[in-house]
């Protein structure tokens, strides 16, 4: 019934380390959007309810696409020491193929996650050959437990959209990167679940004359580049995918979202929504957003971002006013050239 259109430091045998905890704090925003304890509870719950990870398909796919980008960002460069920030159950580790690990010279990957239960769920599974893997609990709003210039690459896949203070997290990622190290992130963006959002809004507006937030707010493509650059990264780039997943009905889709740990965790979330509202929203969804096979379509907007820790070898823009040719002169020459049909 489902189809997708994307398709501390204690050594453990076979290069594993035991879990440890870190709590060095840094300043966070005074007004938090997301309920940190609720998000940990969601992740703990899916660990117990879905130990086989049957709802990991979206996060596995995004992690695969993210790690593939490492082969493209700098073909000859090696990245021996890696950090996975917000590792969940280790999707980046599991997506790193033996080819990518060998091609990019990866020898270590350190995983940080705020839910200890979820981090331990797939402990030791699908580890790339020859890669030393470690696991550590990290709480959002705390300083990363590493010295400056520790890692060659920092990954973060499908966790950043739950951060209360993205600028602080980006600055911390920049701090622990070595010069000329790269940050590779993937997070849900503003068009995610737009169909569900609109159907719930219509159902509530009709019944209550107002709308409560059922889905978390997401960052927009236009905002992410500026955040990366403000954190001190050079050569920031961002692109996005719109992934469409099909479901037989809205309630099945909501079950999958729950299994992913992607249910609402805002502080202002409504604690109760009537079944009448959900049934009305499901009816509207079925009427407006189905394909030729009568399956519901759900959009997941994934933003991929890349930023480099500054280094003298990187390209730098010329200083403002240093040009030797006026743009108007160049345009006049082009207008008089062979490409001008009137010449």
């Amino acid at each position: 019934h489902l189809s997708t259109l994307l398709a501390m430091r204690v050594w453990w045998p076979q290069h594993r380390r035991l879990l440890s905890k870190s709590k060095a704090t840094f300043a966070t925003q005074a007004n938090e959007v997301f309920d940190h304890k609720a998000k940990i509870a969601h992740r703990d719950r899916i660990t117990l309810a879905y130990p086989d990870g049957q709802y990991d398909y979206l996060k596995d796919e995004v992690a695969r696409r993210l790690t593939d980008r490492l082969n493209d960002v700098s073909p000859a460069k090696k990245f021996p020491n890696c950090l996975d920030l917000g590792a969940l159950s280790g999707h980046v580790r599991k997506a790193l193929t033996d080819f990518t690990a060998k091609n990019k010279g990866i020898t270590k990957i350190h995983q940080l996650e705020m839910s200890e239960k979820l981090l331990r769920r797939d402990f030791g599974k699908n580890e790339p050959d020859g890669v030393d893997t470690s696991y550590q609990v990290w709480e959002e709003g705390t300083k990363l437990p590493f010295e400056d210039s520790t890692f060659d690459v920092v990954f973060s896949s499908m966790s950043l959209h739950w951060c209360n203070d993205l600028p602080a997290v980006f600055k911390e990622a920049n701090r622990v990167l070595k010069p000329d190290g790269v940050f590779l992130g993937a997070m849900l963006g503003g068009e995610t679940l737009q169909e569900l959002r609109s159907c719930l809004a219509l159902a509530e507006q009709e019944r209550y004359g107002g709308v409560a937030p059922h889905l978390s707010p997401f960052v927009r493509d236009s905002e992410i580049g500026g955040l990366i650059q403000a954190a001190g990264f050079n050569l920031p780039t961002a692109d996005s995918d719109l992934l469409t997943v099909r479901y037989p009905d809205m309630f099945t889709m909501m079950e999958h979202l729950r299994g992913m740990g992607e249910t609402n965790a805002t502080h202002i979330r409504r604690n109760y929504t009537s079944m009448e509202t959900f049934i009305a929203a499901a009816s509207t969804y079925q009427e407006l957003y189905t394909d030729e096979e009568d399956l519901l379509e759900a959009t997941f907007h994934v933003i991929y971002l890349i930023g480099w820790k500054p280094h003298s070898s990187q390209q730098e823009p010329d200083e403002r006013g240093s040009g030797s040719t006026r743009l108007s002169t160049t345009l006049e020459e082009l207008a008089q050239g062979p490409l001008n049909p009137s010449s």
Side-chain angles (χ1 to χ4, degrees):
H1 297 289
L2 173 82
S3 64
T4 171
L5 300 183
L6 34 110
M8 88 174 232
R9 304 286 184 183
V10 181
W11 283 95
W12 193 255
Q14 301 180 0
H15 310 293
R16 298 171 196 152
R17 298 193 186 104
L18 292 177
L19 290 151
S20 56
K21 295 187 178 182
S22 166
K23 289 189 178 180
T25 61
F26 60 78
T28 56
Q29 294 173 346
N31 298 317
E32 293 186 346
V33 175
F34 302 112
D35 186 336
H36 179 73
K37 292 182 179 179
K39 185 43 54 184
I40 293 177
H42 291 171
R43 295 181 183 181
D44 288 351
R45 180 182 64 208
I46 66 173
T47 305
L48 300 173
Y50 313 109
D52 297 329
Q54 58 263 48
Y55 298 121
D56 286 353
Y57 53 90
L58 180 66
K59 292 179 179 179
D60 286 341
E61 176 64 20
V62 172
R64 184 189 66 78
R65 296 187 181 204
L66 182 65
T67 55
D68 280 349
R69 281 166 162 75
L70 191 63
N71 291 310
D72 301 327
V73 293
S74 184
K77 187 174 175 59
K78 304 300 182 183
F79 302 91
N81 198 11
C82 303
L83 172 65
D84 183 8
L85 181 57
L88 304 171
S89 63
H91 302 283
V92 167
R93 182 194 77 240
K94 291 179 282 187
L96 275 175
T97 63
D98 291 339
F99 168 79
T100 299
K102 184 177 181 180
N103 184 45
K104 306 312 294 184
I106 297 172
T107 58
K108 296 180 181 179
I109 180 167
H110 195 97
Q111 299 168 112
L112 293 184
E113 167 55 29
M114 63 182 179
S115 168
E116 182 174 347
K117 290 184 175 65
L118 185 58
L119 181 62
R120 297 186 64 155
R121 192 194 72 184
D122 296 338
F123 186 84
K125 295 181 181 178
N126 302 98
E127 294 184 356
D129 290 340
V131 177
D132 171 12
T133 304
S134 62
Y135 304 73
Q136 188 170 348
V137 176
W138 171 73
E139 295 183 9
E140 182 196 345
T142 64
K143 186 176 180 179
L144 295 179
F146 306 105
E147 299 294 329
D148 296 358
S149 304
T150 298
F151 296 99
D152 300 285
V153 56
V154 173
F155 291 103
S156 186
S157 182
M158 295 292 281
S159 286
L160 290 171
H161 53 274
W162 291 113
C163 289
N164 279 305
D165 193 351
L166 269 178
V169 174
F170 288 154
K171 287 178 182 178
E172 277 295 285
N174 185 287
R175 180 183 66 79
V176 301
L177 275 171
K178 297 177 182 177
D180 203 33
V182 65
F183 175 74
L184 290 169
M187 61 190 298
L188 292 178
E191 297 181 49
T192 296
L193 297 174
Q194 56 188 344
E195 304 91 350
L196 178 61
R197 192 187 303 269
S198 63
C199 291
L200 285 171
L202 285 171
E204 286 200 322
Q205 184 66 40
E206 288 179 353
R207 282 152 186 79
Y208 307 116
V211 177
H214 291 277
L215 300 176
S216 299
F218 298 109
V219 69
R220 292 183 172 84
D221 297 58
S222 57
E223 301 167 337
I224 201 67
L227 291 174
I228 286 289
Q229 196 162 23
F233 287 100
N234 275 355
L235 311 173
T237 58
D239 64 284
S240 62
D241 285 337
L242 290 179
L243 308 180
T244 303
V245 182
R246 297 175 177 177
Y247 299 96
D249 54 68
M250 193 186 84
F251 295 102
T252 299
M253 177 184 63
M254 293 175 70
E255 177 188 353
H256 281 238
L257 292 174
R258 183 181 176 88
M260 295 178 194
E262 293 296 327
T263 47
N264 191 3
T266 59
H267 280 292
I268 58 172
R269 63 190 181 278
R270 175 176 283 177
N271 292 324
Y272 172 77
T273 300
S274 68
M275 181 56 67
E276 180 187 2
T277 299
F278 281 125
I279 292 173
S283 177
T284 303
Y285 207 134
Q286 195 75 38
E287 183 177 348
L288 297 179
Y289 300 110
T290 53
D291 64 4
E292 64 279 359
E293 298 177 7
D294 206 31
L295 293 172
L296 270 61
E297 297 182 336
T299 299
F300 293 90
H301 176 202
V302 183
I303 301 175
Y304 301 93
L305 44 144
I306 301 174
W308 292 85
K309 181 79 170 277
H311 187 263
S312 58
S313 65
Q314 295 168 1
Q315 292 180 332
E316 294 286 347
D318 292 334
E319 292 185 10
R320 187 180 180 92
S322 62
S324 58
T325 304
R326 294 175 61 87
L327 177 60
S328 59
T329 302
T330 302
L331 293 174
E332 289 175 2
E333 291 175 353
L334 289 173
Q336 297 172 4
L339 295 179
N340 185 357
S342 62
S343 62

